[in-house]
């Protein structure tokens, strides 16, 4: 992608499929047709716009051209910032990424160091929050055995599954597991040698069987045993283990009435 004078480009609102390749296709279309993307909307993100609306179909080759240009124009660190930025919960995420890219294509890799520019600072802060949240989940994910498949549920603010995948695939290389993201309704499926992150609208886990209930009881007993009564400090505990994570952590849950174990409803292998 070459240098362009974007002054006077007509403003348009792009609608796309919500994927990263779809967003990169929008960037490609913007530069090819000399249009300034003033708004984006994806399925479930419809918004009223005063700009002419143009639907953009995802084109893998066009997306690839933009993706390959990122490390050349912005540096590998800049490419990572854009890729991770798409996983964040940043409001108007696409617009923030597009504005950053326009600035980066104009100024080059030096743009990454200009945190005085709000466009750079906003994206950098969002990505730092994403990576920090993913780091916490590496220690806060709790698996349960469901008929030989390890299952876990999380409720992140950002789309952390792509960042968690390398860690847990390396940690359990010989196991089969599923991590379900309740917030974004997608799941990471893994079995030895294969993995996939797929949309999954419904995910229901059967109650734990007797063996799993015993393991959970041991975990809760360990958690209670290592606690030192004289040093009980709930504020400190919530600093190191924020309360919003507790709903998916075994040591803070009470087991439901015993049921026969079953695989998650609607879940399939990769």
């Amino acid at each position: 992608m070459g240098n362009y004078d974007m002054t006077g480009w007509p403003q348009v609102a792009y609608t796309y499929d919500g994927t990263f390749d779809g967003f990169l296709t929008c960037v490609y279309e913007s530069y090819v047709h000399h249009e300034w993307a003033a708004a984006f909307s994806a399925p479930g993100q419809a918004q009223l716009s005063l700009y002419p609306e143009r639907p953009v179909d995802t084109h893998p080759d066009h997306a690839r051209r933009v993706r390959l240009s990122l490390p050349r124009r912005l540096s590998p660190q800049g490419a990572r910032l854009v890729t991770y930025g798409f996983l964040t919960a940043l409001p108007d995420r696409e617009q923030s990424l597009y504005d950053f890219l326009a600035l980066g294509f104009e100024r080059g890799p030096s743009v990454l160091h200009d945190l005085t520019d709000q466009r750079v600072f906003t994206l950098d802060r969002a990505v730092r929050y994403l990576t920090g949240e993913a780091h916490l989940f590496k220690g806060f994910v709790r698996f349960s055995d469901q008929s030989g498949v390890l299952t876990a549920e999380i409720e992140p603010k950002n789309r952390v599954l792509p960042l968690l995948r390398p860690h847990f695939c390396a940690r359990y290389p010989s196991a089969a597991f599923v991590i379900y993201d309740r917030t974004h309704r997608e799941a990471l499926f893994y079995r030895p040698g294969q993995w996939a992150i797929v949309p999954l609208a419904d995910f229901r886990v059967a109650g734990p069987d007797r063996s799993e209930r015993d393991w959970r009881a041991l975990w809760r007993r360990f958690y209670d045993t290592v606690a030192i009564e004289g040093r009980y400090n709930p504020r400190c505990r919530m600093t190191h283990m924020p309360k919003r994570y507790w709903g998916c952590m075994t040591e803070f849950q009470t087991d439901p009435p015993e049921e026969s174990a079953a695989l998650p409803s609607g879940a399939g292998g990769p």
Side-chain angles (χ1 to χ4, degrees):
M1 299 181 66
N3 293 314
Y4 292 90
D5 179 6
M6 305 173 78
T7 305
W9 285 12
Q11 295 181 310
V12 297
Y14 288 138
T15 60
Y16 78 113
D17 63 4
T19 65
F20 187 50
D21 274 1
F23 169 72
L24 295 181
T25 303
C26 289
V27 175
Y28 177 91
E29 292 289 311
S30 166
Y31 279 79
V32 167
H33 296 286
H34 293 189
E35 299 171 335
W36 179 264
F40 293 85
S41 63
Q45 300 176 343
Q47 55 184 344
L48 181 64
S49 174
L50 300 177
Y51 303 104
E53 186 175 289
R54 187 160 80 83
V56 174
D57 294 328
T58 298
H59 196 300
D61 288 341
H62 295 170
R64 180 175 178 273
R65 289 185 61 178
V66 178
R67 186 185 299 107
L68 292 177
S69 76
L70 297 180
R72 293 198 304 265
R73 301 294 300 273
L74 302 177
S75 78
Q77 293 77 17
R80 175 183 179 275
L81 189 67
V82 174
T83 304
Y84 279 24
F86 195 78
L87 301 175
T88 69
L90 186 66
D92 297 322
R93 174 193 60 189
E94 294 93 342
Q95 195 64 54
S96 292
L97 285 168
Y98 180 82
D99 292 345
F100 171 79
L101 284 170
L103 182 67
F105 288 155
E106 176 186 348
R107 293 174 51 184
S110 64
V111 72
L112 296 176
H113 307 294
D114 188 6
L115 294 178
T116 61
D117 190 298
Q118 190 64 36
R119 291 164 290 187
V120 182
F121 175 76
T122 297
L123 185 58
D124 181 79
R125 180 177 58 181
V127 169
R128 287 178 184 273
Y129 184 72
L130 162 76
T131 56
E133 185 178 43
H135 176 74
L136 288 175
F137 270 114
K138 289 177 183 178
F140 292 162
V141 170
R142 299 291 184 261
F143 287 100
S144 296
D145 190 334
Q146 295 282 324
S147 301
V149 177
L150 299 178
T151 64
E153 296 183 74
I154 58 175
E155 290 182 317
K157 293 183 178 180
N158 300 279
R159 291 185 58 224
V160 298
L161 287 182
L163 277 66
L164 295 180
R165 180 196 62 77
H167 172 79
F168 284 105
C169 289
R171 186 175 179 182
Y172 301 110
S174 302
F177 67 78
V178 181
I179 303 176
Y180 181 64
D181 178 345
R182 294 176 180 174
T183 308
H184 304 94
R185 296 187 176 185
E186 60 183 9
L188 165 62
F189 289 94
Y190 174 80
R191 63 186 180 190
Q194 292 181 293
W195 66 269
I197 297 176
V198 298
L200 193 62
D202 187 26
F203 184 85
R204 291 191 301 271
V205 179
D209 61 16
R210 172 52 56 188
S211 176
E212 175 64 25
R213 293 165 74 92
D214 290 343
W215 278 109
R216 291 187 180 189
L218 286 172
W219 178 250
R220 284 191 290 266
R221 186 179 305 169
F222 168 79
Y223 183 80
D224 293 337
T225 301
V226 298
I228 301 174
E229 184 176 354
R231 295 185 179 180
Y232 178 68
N233 187 335
R235 178 175 295 182
C236 181
R237 179 173 67 172
M238 283 188 285
T239 297
H240 294 283
M241 188 182 292
K243 197 168 185 177
R244 73 180 182 89
Y245 296 95
W246 294 5
C248 298
M249 299 179 70
T250 305
E251 58 266 42
F252 295 105
Q253 298 176 20
T254 301
D255 289 334
E258 187 170 356
E259 301 175 6
S260 59
L263 285 173
S265 173

